[in-house]
Amino acid sequence: MPSPRRTRAYPELERVLIAESAIRRRVRSLGREIMTAYGDEPITVIAIINGAILFTADLLREIDNPVRLDCIRISSYRNNTKSSGRPRVIQALTLDIKDRHVLLLDDILDTGRTLSVVSKLIRKKRPASLRVCVLLDKKGRREVPFDADYVGFSIPNKFVVGYGLDFAERYRNLPCIGVLKPERQVLG
Ligand code: IMP
Ligand code: MG
């Protein structure tokens, strides 16, 4: 018998873009790609919170390498669904990453500003290597050039929520990723 959770409708979504089962499959295959790339090397994972929390939790369980985890919090420079200004670090790293293989994780690559700032900051600390993995990539929205080494899904230019992604801190707990109804994209 299907559980009520899996058949739940999401009345605030215009549509589901990526189903929970598709996310699970893709996260598993990203884990395999990453393990192949790193071999037996230990990995220092840096997650950009809050958005990457759910993705990080699931991806790490698909990786068998020795892993150290750190988080970095970047100011939300967004005003509702649009970006403005420059991202700033509001919670710094705590682990020493010099000479470590760093894997930087984020929920979505959009304008490229956040990952560009965070990558520069990490490179200054002289890691042995830096690779970037994002669950989602909105390629058409770049304002600064940036490519991730691993991309879960390329998506169209729509504002999405769920699986860690929020609108005004809501919807992070949806197990799928969906397009928020335009009438819900208002701050109140
Ligand atoms: P960027 O700096 O413009 O690349 O954006 C990165 C951050 O903006 C992500 O870490 C998200 O927190 C947020 N963001 C970008 N697009 C979306 C979206 O469609 N839904 C929710 N958050 C988004
Ligand atoms: Mg984010």
Side-chain angles (χ1 to χ4, degrees):
M1 202 169 78
S3 74
R5 188 165 165 268
R6 281 178 214 292
T7 54
R8 191 168 73 187
Y10 300 101
E12 303 191 14
L13 296 183
E14 191 173 85
R15 66 190 167 107
V16 172
L17 198 61
I18 310 168
E20 184 179 1
S21 55
I23 297 174
R24 201 175 311 123
R25 278 196 304 276
R26 185 64 184 118
V27 169
R28 205 168 290 150
S29 69
L30 279 174
R32 283 195 297 267
E33 278 182 55
I34 288 166
M35 281 177 50
T36 304
Y38 283 89
D40 297 329
E41 293 287 350
I43 306 174
T44 300
V45 169
I46 298 178
I48 303 183
I49 55 175
N50 292 327
I53 282 184
L54 276 74
F55 177 44
T56 302
D58 287 343
L59 182 64
L60 289 197
R61 283 176 284 184
E62 301 296 337
I63 297 175
D64 298 336
N65 299 53
V67 162
R68 301 191 310 157
L69 173 64
D70 203 351
C71 294
I72 188 168
R73 188 186 293 271
I74 306 298
S75 62
S76 164
Y77 60 98
R78 289 174 169 268
N79 166 16
N80 61 63
T81 63
K82 301 279 188 321
S83 63
S84 61
R86 200 186 137 76
R88 283 184 308 110
V89 176
I90 53 175
Q91 190 179 310
L93 296 174
T94 57
L95 293 180
D96 183 9
I97 58 169
K98 186 167 186 300
D99 299 329
R100 303 286 186 155
H101 293 290
V102 172
L103 177 63
L104 176 59
L105 303 182
D106 203 3
D107 51 359
I108 186 165
L109 178 48
D110 185 28
T111 65
R113 289 185 189 279
T114 302
L115 279 167
S116 160
V117 163
V118 176
S119 301
K120 267 186 208 138
L121 180 152
I122 290 172
R123 283 213 177 81
K124 277 195 197 145
K125 295 177 187 282
R126 309 220 164 271
S129 67
L130 172 62
R131 291 187 176 102
V132 177
C133 173
V134 292
L135 181 67
L136 306 175
D137 187 356
K138 280 194 222 169
K139 282 210 161 56
R141 293 248 319 151
R142 235 40 122 248
E143 291 172 12
V144 296
F146 196 95
D147 283 320
D149 299 278
Y150 307 99
V151 173
F153 301 91
S154 288
I155 62 163
N157 254 344
K158 295 273 184 188
F159 190 80
V160 293
V161 294
Y163 197 68
L165 292 120
D166 73 307
F167 173 73
E169 293 304 326
R170 277 204 60 200
Y171 310 107
R172 292 196 200 272
N173 56 324
L174 298 187
C176 64
I177 291 166
V179 179
L180 193 58
K181 281 184 178 163
E183 64 266 32
R184 294 287 170 191
Q185 296 184 25
V186 284
L187 296 169

